Amino acid sequence: MTTSADERLDLVFGALADRTRRRMLAQLASAPASITELAAPHNMSLPGASKHVRVLEHAGLVRRTIDGRVHRCTLDLAAMRTADDWLAHYRAFWDHTLDALTDYVREDPR
Amino acid sequence: MTTSADERLDLVFGALADRTRRRMLAQLASAPASITELAAPHNMSLPGASKHVRVLEHAGLVRRTIDGRVHRCTLDLAAMRTADDWLAHYRAFWDHTLDALTDYVREDPR
DNA sequence: CAAACAGTAAACCATGTGGTTTACTGTTTG
DNA sequence: CAAACAGTAAACCACATGGTTTACTGTTTG
């Protein structure tokens, strides 16, 4: 199951492409939560929330530990970096082109 | 058409969640390209590439200027920042928790 | 132990996605 | 001007997605 970089990025960006899941991540950033607690703010059925958590878990953004009948979900920061590292490449790129643009405007102000 | 922050993030992350589109962006980072030129590296039909470009354009990641019969596509860095800014929030967060973890390990090494 | 609770499984629905082919519009060029 | 070219439109396909409801498993608790 050698998950390629492309596969990981597909999963992470795909997981982030839904506002409900992004809000769940925000919630988990402040404290771990159960599935029920994650469902509550979204007036969403439990199976609905369960599916979102599975997507987040599959993308590696959330880990789950089962304690009796309650599933405790926590943020996984490592997976968040996968997306960040990809974007970092472009961050450097756009900083550079901003510089290039500045130089251009300075040297050739007509 | 007041595109909300959530809507913009949905579109940007959704656009980034496909490896073909990510490769197109990488190609555009080195030079602007036509639809045909974007299709070429992926053995993809022209309509296929056209749809991908439309997704990227709709997400604000690509701009297009039409010159005769050829469409010139260029990267739009501003939209890339939308995703980066969202992630930046978590970047700070995980740096902080790494620090917190380090402190914890130092102060309580049992 | 019975009832309430946390969660998953499965079936279902509408809509979106990634891709094709075939047909068309409009532009460039021999 | 006819032929080649760049691209879009539309119809189609298989499959994924976001959501529901209904039924189930297993755990906690009065």
Side-chain angles (χ1 to χ4, degrees), chain A residues 23-32 75 77 80, chain B residues 89-90 93 97:
Chain A
R23 275 189 242 115
M24 286 179 169
L25 291 175
Q27 180 176 350
L28 291 176
S30 68
L75 249 193
L77 302 166
M80 198 78 82
Chain B
H89 181 262
Y90 290 87
F93 177 73
T97 49

Side-chain angles (χ1 to χ4, degrees), chain A residues 21-99:
Chain A
R21 285 194 291 265
R22 285 195 305 272
R23 275 189 242 115
M24 286 179 169
L25 291 175
Q27 180 176 350
L28 291 176
S30 68
S34 68
I35 307 283
T36 304
E37 287 162 352
L38 286 171
H42 307 288
N43 337 25
M44 171 168 289
S45 70
L46 227 31
S50 181
K51 282 166 114 182
H52 278 304
V53 171
R54 200 155 46 222
V55 171
L56 291 169
E57 198 182 13
H58 191 219
L61 290 160
V62 158
R63 253 171 318 169
R64 163 188 338 224
T65 63
I66 303 182
D67 182 28
R69 66 181 166 180
V70 50
H71 295 210
R72 187 155 175 285
C73 302
T74 59
L75 249 193
D76 191 337
L77 302 166
M80 198 78 82
R81 281 198 201 239
T82 303
D84 195 60
D85 288 349
W86 187 86
L87 274 173
H89 180 261
Y90 290 87
R91 195 182 312 136
F93 177 72
W94 77 55
D95 286 347
H96 175 268
T97 50
L98 268 186
D99 291 351

Side-chain angles (χ1 to χ4, degrees), chain A residues 5-17 83-84 86-87 90 94, chain B residues 8-26 52 55-56 59-62 75-76 79-84 87:
Chain A
D6 270 337
E7 268 167 46
R8 260 180 291 121
L9 285 170
D10 285 354
L11 292 173
V12 171
F13 281 129
L16 295 181
D84 195 60
W86 187 86
L87 274 173
Y90 290 87
W94 77 55
Chain B
R8 259 178 292 121
L9 285 170
D10 285 354
L11 291 174
V12 172
F13 281 130
L16 295 182
D18 182 276
R19 67 192 72 183
T20 301
R21 285 193 292 266
R22 286 197 303 275
R23 275 189 242 116
M24 286 179 169
L25 291 174
H52 279 302
V55 171
L56 291 168
L61 290 160
V62 157
L75 249 192
D76 191 338
M80 199 79 84
R81 279 197 203 239
T82 303
D84 195 58
L87 273 173

Side-chain angles (χ1 to χ4, degrees), chain B residues 25-81:
Chain B
L25 291 174
Q27 180 177 350
L28 291 176
S30 68
S34 67
I35 308 283
T36 304
E37 286 162 354
L38 285 170
H42 308 287
N43 337 26
M44 170 167 292
S45 69
L46 228 30
S50 181
K51 282 166 114 183
H52 279 302
V53 170
R54 200 155 48 223
V55 171
L56 291 168
E57 198 182 11
H58 191 220
L61 290 160
V62 157
R63 257 173 318 171
R64 165 192 332 227
T65 63
I66 303 183
D67 182 29
R69 67 182 166 179
V70 51
H71 296 210
R72 188 154 173 285
C73 302
T74 60
L75 249 192
D76 191 338
L77 302 166
M80 199 79 84
R81 279 197 203 239

